[in-house]
Every structure is written in structure tokens, then in C-alpha cells.
Amino acid sequence: MADYLPQDTPSMKAVDLMEREFDEPTANARVMIHHVSITEALAYKEKLEAIDGVTEVTWLDDVIDVKEPLEMADPDLVEPYYKNETALISLHIREGDEVETVDRIYELIGEENAVAGEAVDTAVSQKMAGQESFNAALLLIPILIIILVLSTTSWIEPLFFLIAIGVSVLINMGANVFVGEISFVTQSVAPILQLAVSMDYAIFLLHSFSNHRKQISDPGEAMRRAIKESFPAIAASASTTFFGFIALSFMEFGIGADLGLNLVKGIAFSFLSVIVFLPALTLMFYKWIDRTQHPPLVPKWKGFGERVLKLRIPVFIALMLLIVPAFLAQSQTSFVYGLGEQPETSRAGADAAAIREAFGENSTMVLLVPKGDPGKEEKLVQRLEELPRIKSVTSYVNTVSPAIPSEYLEESAAKSFYSDNYARIILNAETDSEGEEAFSLVDEVRRTAESYYDEVHLLGESVTLYDIKKTVERDHAIVNLLTISSIALVLLFTFRSLSIPVVLLLTIQSAVWLNLSVPYFTDSSLVYVGYLIISTVQLAATVDYGILLTDTYRNLRQEMPAMEAIKKTLDDKLFSILTPASILSTVGFILFFTSSNPIVSSIGLLLGRGALLAFGMVVIALPAMLILFDRVIEKTTLRPNFYQGKGGC
């Protein structure tokens, strides 16, 4: 996760500085060994040091002389490393080798012992990303086929949808070779998300083609008319999604930009595939569609529009009453800024829980201050030891002595604490890696150090997550503003109206707020990266439903009164909206159920629930708003040509 932070954040500067000044890196994993003596623990330490990919191993013998009786040592120094015949060994796993190295550690320690930490989380995420995407696709494709068969009147037509969008997904994945590398979140989410959000382009086109085939015998002419008729809706839908995903590319936190760029490419490829490749494919094999016709498998929901409109006033009042609480609740949700906890059903999650149970919460921070004033360093260390939640502080001045110049010792004895220019102080805290308590401690440690030194550098998992928190909170305002403004502009040019973009955005944004408020009301935490991404993705992907309904209503409104127009729109387009909403929701819930990665899982849950909420808002709340604001829309739309006969709203 730290790789996606801007290089000018304080924690990244501190990491770069420590890598330049010190040979020994910070620990990013911990191994717990049960039922071992001191001698046996030292043997395990040697075996861990011998594993390729492990670059540094630290244990009790690096802090005290383990040849002396442990009863004589300070318990505060011993217990973080060894208690109840259980050893906790810290190590650093080389970046880029996490998967192979963690597998070797598993082989060494067996099932009865445990390993956890940043490197383990990274290894699990990288290892599972490709496999879980494949598993999700295996589960998703049959469900998609069922949904598409129900929404069409040809057994073969769903295959055309999947081929057209599937080709664009494969091209987009192949184009990643020119990007260099992509995040595990992008690898897990982007292909399936691209499939879900762009499937409706193909549905719009082939449904229009099917309707024109009933009136025109020439398939080529029917396709030309279908392209002409459906192009505005497809272009508007693609544009809103395209610009929504572009907004993600402006995130400082690299995962958002990585996913945004990938989805922008994907939407462009999907649009071209539907407009260029799908018509050619359909015209080549339209006879297959004719030969595999079947009666509609789902009955038409005639009268649905009339029933919805009877509730328009209560629905509008309910919407107005829900918006404010939902908006306030989603802004008060408790967030997780890292990967989130691995599920305890997984090896990584169970190991992390076992280590917490045996040794308590632990977070390590490293403080770098200018070298050269042992007296000042000793005072700082004493102050740090007095801070609440600090278990231990390890430095030259309290491990060796401030009275002994480091130059008088062997280089190996001092290199852990001093470089040519800096002193290194290691702090172990009784906090989780993130949360209000951990972040408050980061601030307190930094303030304490700055009261002694003008130059202070702090690093560690808590510090990195603190910087991620600050970065993504800034991103949220920027991304939301860009998403809403870019989609509003697309809607403005599509409908040539000042009021329609407001009505559409209010409808979909209300669904977003309702979706994101659920964790607050259920008192659960939400991975912030998932929250940030979904607040953009849900708006960009589901506004298509509103575009289709509003565009149909606007056209019918030129021929009939508002009430009749909205009734016919709902009766005609309900299933056309339900199909992509079902696909997007299914994709989300499949990601939620199949992914062990907390970020991907949270994106899936939010996406699945968000698609259903957006569908409900579009088919229930949006018609009510279109009717209630019919006159306002007419006055604020360029050349609306609305029907002026009797029976209007």
C-alpha cells in the first residue's frame, strides 16, 4: 500500500532516508513459535535468516544477553520477544519477493505456528488476486448468461453480448503490458467491473436492432437505424462512466489512479467494440439469432408505471427526508485506511489473531534524528518511554550507554543505531497499526521528537497508514468534485437542459449516500479506499439507468402528456434497466463473496448494494421527480417541444 503514496509524503521521505543511511531495514513481518526454549528459538532465528528473501531478523538476543538468566532481565524488554515458552521473531522480507518468501516461512514453521505483518498481507493479496478473479469469472459468466437469456428472445443473442464486451476486456488486459505494472486491486476488480458497467451498451444496441428487425426486412438497414437510435444513449452512458473514471486518475493515492486509468481504457475499448465490432458480428450471424428465437421468458410488467406514479408524492417526501440523514451518516462512518484485517477463516487472518492473543497489539515505529548529541538523545528516549501505549524504546543510549562513544565499539555493535548522519530509535507500541489511538500516538511521538530536534523523520506501518489517511481524505473532495462536475457537463450537453442534470445527479447521488451510510447504521468499519472508489464508480456506472429512462421519457413527452409518457417509459424500459442493474449487482456480490482481500471485498459489497439502490431510485424516485418538475424541465431545456395537449401534468 505504501508504494501508492506520493513520494513527498513524510513517511515515504523517511523510508528513503533510512534506506540510504542504514543497511538494516524495518521489520515487516513477525513469526511466532510455540513451545520453544531460548536455544530452540535461536535455532529458528538462524533458519529464518537462511531463507532467501529474508534480509533481516531480530529477536531477544539483539536486545539483551540471553546467556544470562532471563529472571534477571527487565520484563519490559523480554516479554515483547519471549513469554510462556513462545518466541516472537521480527524480520524483514525483501520487497517483490513476498509470495515466495512467505511460502518458505510457512514450510519452516508448519501449521501450529504463525506469521503475520505487512509483507504477509501483501503476499496474500498478490497471490489471490489472479486466482480470485478467475474464480469470480467462473461464477459470474453462467449467471450473466441466465440474466441475458431472460432479457432477450434468442438463445444465442447473450453470446453476442459476452463476445463483444469480452473482447474489449481482453484487449484492455493485454494493453496493461504497456503500462508496466498494475495494482492487485486493479487486477482483481477492473476486468469484472468493465464487463459489468459496459454490458448495457451492447444491450441498448441489440434491443434496438431487434425492434427495427420487426419493421424492416433488410438487416443492414435495421442495424443502421439501431446504431443511429441507440448511439446517443450509448455515447452518454459511456461518457459519464468515462469521465467518472478519469476523476479517479486525479487521486494522489496511486491505487485510485491505477484503477481509474485501467477503467478509462476499458470503457473506450468497450464503446468501440459495441459500435464497430458488435454490428459486424451481428450482421454476419443474424440468421443464428433468427433460428434460436424463443418466447419471452419474463412477462411484461404492464401497469407498473401507473402503480409507481400513484406513490409519487409519498416517494418524493420520503426521498427528501432520507437525503440529509444519509449524507450525514456516510460522512461519520468509521474507516480503515490500510488493507483491512484478513478474515480469520484464512491462514493469514488466523495467524494475525493468534499473535495478537499471545503478545497483544503491537506496532513498531522508527525515529530518525540527527546524530551527535548523546545527551539530547537520552532525554528524548526517556520522554518517549513515558508516553502512554509505548511498550519499549530501543536506542544506543539505553541499550549501550550515552557515556560510551560509538566509535570505541565494533562497527557491528553500533550500526543498528547510528549511520554517518543519523541516530535510529525503535519504538514498540501497544496499539493496532491504525485507528484513532495509533494515529494519536504517531502525532505525539512526532511532537515529542520535534521538541528536541529541528529535523525529525518517523516511519513504520502506523505512520504510513496515517499518511494514507491524510492523502485519501484530500483525494475524496477532489475526486467527488471532478466526478460530479464532469458527469453534469455530459448530461448538460446530452439533454441540453439545466434541470435534467440536477434531477439525475440528485437521484443517483442519493443512492450513493444511502449505500455509504449503511456501515454507520450497522456500526461497522469500511475500508476507505473502497469507499472512495465506490463513491465514484457507483455514480458513474448507474447514472446510465437514469439516462436511458430520462431520454425515453423526453422523447415520449413530445408526443403525449407527462403522466402518459412516464407510464409508457416505465412499462417499456423497466426490464432494460433491470438487466444491467442485475448484472452490476451480481458482479458486486460475487466479488464480495469470492475475494479474501478486504479492499476488493468491500468494493464488491458496496457495488452490489449500490446497484440495487440505484435501480430502486431510478424506477421509483426519478419518475416522481420528472413528473413533479415537468414544467421546470420544460422551461430550462433547449427546444423541448413537449406535447401541449390536454391531459398533461
Side-chain angles (χ1 to χ4, degrees), residues 321-332 509-510 512-518 521:
L321 291 175
L322 284 173
I323 283 178
V324 174
F327 173 75
L328 294 175
Q330 60 90 30
S331 63
Q332 298 298 316
Q509 191 63 56
S510 298
V512 174
W513 290 335
L514 287 168
N515 187 21
L516 297 176
S517 68
V518 172
F521 291 115

Side-chain angles (χ1 to χ4, degrees), residues 3 41 59 90 106 127 132-133 149 155 239 293 319 381-382 415 447 494 529-530 601 612 632 640:
D3 290 344
W59 191 57
S90 298
Y106 282 145
K127 194 172 186 178
E132 288 182 348
S133 293
V149 165
W155 297 109
S239 298
Q293 292 289 311
L319 175 62
V381 168
Q382 290 171 352
K415 71 174 185 176
R447 282 197 305 269
T494 300
V529 174
S601 181
L612 293 180
V632 176

Side-chain angles (χ1 to χ4, degrees), residues 32-57:
M32 183 174 71
I33 310 293
H34 291 296
H35 311 301
V36 288
S37 64
I38 296 294
T39 304
E40 290 168 333
L42 289 171
Y44 266 107
K45 180 185 176 185
E46 289 182 7
K47 291 175 182 176
L48 288 167
E49 287 175 325
I51 291 176
D52 184 29
V54 175
T55 59
E56 188 69 29
V57 182

Side-chain angles (χ1 to χ4, degrees), residues 288-540:
W288 290 15
I289 297 176
D290 294 344
R291 291 169 185 166
T292 57
Q293 292 289 311
H294 62 76
L297 300 177
V298 177
K300 296 286 185 181
W301 290 10
K302 292 296 182 183
F304 178 81
E306 186 170 351
R307 290 193 290 272
V308 166
L309 289 181
K310 288 179 181 178
L311 302 172
R312 65 186 184 279
I313 302 298
V315 163
F316 182 72
I317 293 172
L319 175 62
M320 292 299 103
L321 291 175
L322 284 173
I323 283 178
V324 174
F327 173 75
L328 294 175
Q330 60 90 30
S331 63
Q332 298 298 316
T333 298
S334 173
F335 292 112
V336 174
Y337 294 91
L339 285 174
E341 291 187 2
Q342 298 286 346
E344 290 195 20
T345 52
S346 67
R347 170 75 190 263
D351 282 4
I355 292 174
R356 280 197 303 271
E357 184 178 350
F359 287 89
E361 299 287 1
N362 182 79
S363 177
T364 301
M365 288 182 279
V366 176
L367 181 64
L368 303 180
V369 295
K371 177 184 174 183
D373 193 335
K376 186 189 291 187
E377 185 182 335
E378 185 178 21
K379 290 178 182 177
L380 171 60
V381 168
Q382 290 171 352
R383 281 279 304 279
L384 292 172
E385 288 174 330
E386 294 170 359
L387 293 179
R389 313 301 293 175
I390 291 292
K391 285 197 295 189
S392 65
V393 180
T394 307
S395 70
Y396 183 89
V397 296
N398 69 348
T399 303
V400 184
S401 171
I404 303 175
S406 59
E407 293 82 4
Y408 289 4
L409 301 177
E410 292 183 10
E411 184 181 350
S412 59
K415 71 174 185 176
S416 295
F417 302 112
Y418 289 132
S419 68
D420 293 338
N421 304 299
Y422 292 91
R424 179 162 69 171
I425 302 168
I426 300 172
L427 302 92
N428 283 302
E430 294 176 321
T431 67
D432 198 357
S433 57
E434 63 176 300
E436 187 176 336
E437 193 175 62
F439 294 152
S440 295
L441 185 59
V442 169
D443 272 334
E444 199 165 1
V445 168
R446 187 172 277 137
R447 282 197 305 269
T448 302
E450 286 172 347
S451 68
Y452 289 91
Y453 293 91
D454 293 332
E455 183 186 357
V456 169
H457 302 277
L458 189 63
L459 61 146
E461 188 176 3
S462 292
V463 187
T464 299
L465 290 167
Y466 182 78
D467 281 348
I468 289 175
K469 176 179 184 290
K470 295 293 185 184
T471 303
V472 295
E473 284 177 345
R474 289 196 304 270
D475 283 339
H476 186 218
I478 295 170
V479 169
N480 265 13
L481 178 63
L482 287 172
T483 302
I484 292 172
S485 57
S486 61
I487 290 176
L489 282 173
V490 172
L491 296 174
L492 181 68
F493 285 109
T494 300
F495 293 103
R496 295 174 298 175
S497 171
L498 295 174
S499 53
I500 288 178
V502 175
V503 170
L504 279 174
L505 285 172
L506 180 62
T507 302
I508 303 300
Q509 191 63 56
S510 298
V512 174
W513 290 335
L514 287 168
N515 187 21
L516 297 176
S517 68
V518 172
Y520 173 80
F521 291 115
T522 56
D523 194 26
S524 56
S525 295
L526 184 60
V527 178
Y528 196 92
V529 174
Y531 164 82
L532 181 59
I533 289 172
I534 210 66
S535 61
T536 299
V537 169
Q538 184 184 337
L539 179 62

Side-chain angles (χ1 to χ4, degrees), residues 72-337:
M72 305 292 292
D74 183 352
D76 289 339
L77 291 177
V78 176
E79 289 185 358
Y81 299 96
Y82 186 74
K83 64 179 180 180
N84 302 326
E85 295 188 334
T86 299
L88 187 63
I89 304 170
S90 298
L91 57 144
H92 180 270
I93 295 174
R94 188 166 53 235
E95 186 176 345
D97 294 334
E98 291 91 350
V99 174
E100 298 83 0
T101 306
V102 170
D103 283 344
R104 294 186 190 108
I105 292 172
Y106 282 145
E107 289 177 14
L108 172 65
I109 67 175
E111 293 286 337
E112 65 276 10
N113 299 308
V115 56
E118 290 175 83
V120 178
D121 291 340
T122 300
V124 171
S125 298
Q126 292 177 347
K127 194 172 186 178
M128 298 307 294
Q131 182 61 46
E132 288 182 348
S133 293
F134 181 72
N135 293 342
L138 285 181
L139 187 59
L140 175 65
I141 289 174
I143 297 175
L144 284 185
I145 291 173
I146 293 171
I147 293 172
L148 292 171
V149 165
L150 292 174
S151 68
T152 63
T153 57
S154 168
W155 297 109
I156 199 71
E157 197 172 347
L159 187 61
F160 286 47
F161 295 140
L162 290 174
I163 290 174
I165 303 301
V167 164
S168 65
V169 170
L170 291 174
I171 292 172
N172 190 33
M173 292 173 67
N176 288 331
V177 72
F178 300 107
V179 177
E181 62 180 13
I182 60 172
S183 75
F184 58 88
V185 174
T186 300
Q187 184 178 347
S188 300
V189 172
I192 296 175
L193 200 55
Q194 180 190 341
L195 182 72
V197 301
S198 55
M199 184 66 74
D200 49 350
Y201 310 162
I203 292 171
F204 292 169
L205 179 67
L206 288 193
H207 276 193
S208 180
F209 175 68
S210 178
N211 290 334
H212 284 292
R213 284 291 311 282
K214 297 172 184 175
Q215 303 164 3
I216 302 169
S217 59
D218 179 18
E221 180 60 27
M223 180 59 76
R224 279 192 289 274
R225 294 192 183 186
I227 292 173
K228 183 178 180 181
E229 180 184 75
S230 60
F231 185 84
I234 295 172
S237 298
S239 298
T240 53
T241 314
F242 183 88
F243 287 113
F245 291 152
I246 278 184
L248 283 176
S249 303
F250 285 88
M251 284 176 61
E252 283 189 273
F253 191 53
I255 281 183
D258 188 273
L259 180 61
L261 175 62
N262 198 278
L263 288 172
V264 163
K265 293 195 290 94
I267 293 303
F269 287 133
S270 293
F271 177 77
L272 290 173
S273 180
V274 168
I275 295 300
V276 178
F277 172 63
L278 181 58
L281 179 69
T282 305
L283 289 175
M284 284 181 68
F285 300 104
Y286 72 90
K287 290 182 180 179
W288 290 15
I289 297 176
D290 294 344
R291 291 169 185 166
T292 57
Q293 292 289 311
H294 62 76
L297 300 177
V298 177
K300 296 286 185 181
W301 290 10
K302 292 296 182 183
F304 178 81
E306 186 170 351
R307 290 193 290 272
V308 166
L309 289 181
K310 288 179 181 178
L311 302 172
R312 65 186 184 279
I313 302 298
V315 163
F316 182 72
I317 293 172
L319 175 62
M320 292 299 103
L321 291 175
L322 284 173
I323 283 178
V324 174
F327 173 75
L328 294 175
Q330 60 90 30
S331 63
Q332 298 298 316
T333 298
S334 173
F335 292 112
V336 174
Y337 294 91

